[in-house]
Every structure is written in C-alpha cells, then in structure tokens.
Amino acid sequence: ELEAITARVREMEKEYERLKELQLEAESHLIMSSEPGLFLKTTEEKMEVDQRSIYVGNVDYGGTAEELESHFNTCGQINRVTILCDKFSGHPKGYAYIEFEEKSSVKAAVELDESVFRGRVIKVLPKRTNMPGISTTDRGGYRGRFQTRGGLGQRGGYYGGQHLRLRGRAYRGRARLLPWYFPY
C-alpha cells in the first residue's frame, strides 16, 4: 500500500514537471507571437495611441462595437473600438473609446459631436492622455480620520469653548473620535 502511494506521488511529480514545461513554452510562444500594439511598453507609445483615439460619451447601452464602427467609418480606418463595462455587473457604462489608424481621423470624428447614435445625442471628444501621478479625483488634504472643514478640529471635539460638530465620515460615535476609548 505504501509503495502504491509513493509510486502515485512520483507520477504526480512527473506530471507537474511536464505541465511546468508546457506552461513556460506557452508563455514564451505568446510573448513571441504577440501583436506589437498588444503590450504597450512606454508612455510615448501610449500617448501616440491616445492622439489617434476619441472618447464617445452617452452611448446607448444596447450599442455594439460594430454599430459604433459603422457610425464612425466615414472618419477613417478604425483599429479598435472599446466599450467600457462595469466590472461587477458586466453592463455597459455608457461610453466608449475608438482608436483610429491616422491622427487626422480624430478631427473628422470630433465633427460628429452631438450626432445621433441609436436615438441618443452622443458626445465626441479627443481622448485625453492620463499622466502618471496626476489624478483628477485627488482632492488633496489630509484624508485621515480627524479631518474637518477649515482644519480647526481637534481630537477632543471642542474648539474655543464650543463643541465642534463634525460631519461626514469623521463623526461616527464617540469611539471613533477618541481612539483611546475602548468599551470592552
């Protein structure tokens, strides 16, 4: 019985090694045969692609990539149509990006701003390039627990003899305001 188990373990180890070799072979084959535009390596390449792309807003939720491509085919050769979807539900978010072959196609596509696509007036803009380290949602300031408007709040909750009323996320009962207070 013990010999049968050890034989089975040896068999499993050999299979593991074989699978490992197949995985390495598949990964190397994928990297070698990948399209040049599939893995963008530098920010210059990303910026160049963004200069050939447009943002399309207010897209109908039932709209497909093929319909968007046919709507914008008069502007020039289209490389890619990307309709963004919610990662949890899978439903479209209502906007898309279209990448063209030529930069001149972007100007022609922007001319289709406020045109009607599937009964909705769409918004067409040149795609902006995201700069690393710059966020449009960054509101600055201290994002910790004791932030108050005007920066006047102190830990005890009193300022100048009067009780400071905190709003939003900062005030959720006594235990949050006083970190040294533990009821149990």
Side-chain angles (χ1 to χ4, degrees):
E1 191 175 315
L2 185 61
E3 291 173 7
I5 292 173
T6 55
R8 180 71 179 135
V9 168
R10 275 191 234 117
E11 205 175 294
M12 290 171 70
E13 287 174 348
K14 287 180 185 177
E15 186 176 350
Y16 172 73
E17 291 298 324
R18 239 180 306 132
L19 286 172
K20 203 172 178 183
E21 289 173 11
L22 285 172
Q23 178 74 21
L24 288 172
E25 182 180 325
E27 287 176 358
S28 66
H29 180 67
L30 177 69
I31 291 172
M32 294 295 206
S33 68
S34 66
E35 301 175 17
L38 189 61
F39 298 109
L40 299 175
K41 293 175 182 69
T42 63
T43 56
E44 290 84 18
E45 289 174 351
K46 289 180 186 178
M47 287 176 63
E48 196 272 326
V49 169
D50 286 349
Q51 289 173 352
R52 294 185 284 121
S53 301
I54 60 169
Y55 161 85
V56 184
N58 200 25
V59 176
D60 185 53
Y61 295 120
T64 63
E66 291 80 19
E67 291 172 335
L68 276 171
E69 189 171 350
S70 66
H71 187 77
F72 286 96
N73 66 354
T74 58
C75 302
Q77 177 67 34
I78 296 175
N79 286 348
R80 178 184 305 154
V81 177
T82 307
I83 299 175
L84 276 81
C85 296
D86 183 70
K87 64 181 175 181
F88 299 112
S89 66
H91 299 300
K93 289 185 174 183
Y95 60 95
Y97 293 102
I98 299 176
E99 177 190 332
F100 291 101
E101 187 72 34
E102 300 292 326
K103 290 182 183 179
S104 60
S105 301
V106 172
K107 290 180 183 174
V110 171
E111 296 295 322
L112 290 176
D113 185 26
E114 297 183 2
S115 63
V116 177
F117 174 73
R118 291 191 63 156
R120 297 178 81 165
V121 177
I122 57 173
K123 184 73 177 165
V124 181
L125 297 168
K127 185 177 185 297
R128 63 178 175 80
T129 302
N130 287 333
M131 295 304 214
I134 299 175
S135 172
T136 58
T137 59
D138 183 21
R139 293 176 285 207
Y142 177 67
R143 304 287 293 165
R145 190 185 313 196
F146 297 109
Q147 180 185 14
T148 59
R149 294 182 186 209
L152 301 175
Q154 295 180 353
R155 284 195 155 170
Y158 288 93
Y159 180 73
Q162 68 185 49
H163 183 69
L164 181 66
R165 188 169 167 205
L166 301 175
R167 296 182 187 172
R169 291 176 48 185
Y171 183 69
R172 292 283 189 265
R174 184 173 171 87
R176 289 261 179 130
L177 283 176
L178 307 173
W180 44 264
Y181 172 74
F182 298 106
Y184 301 107

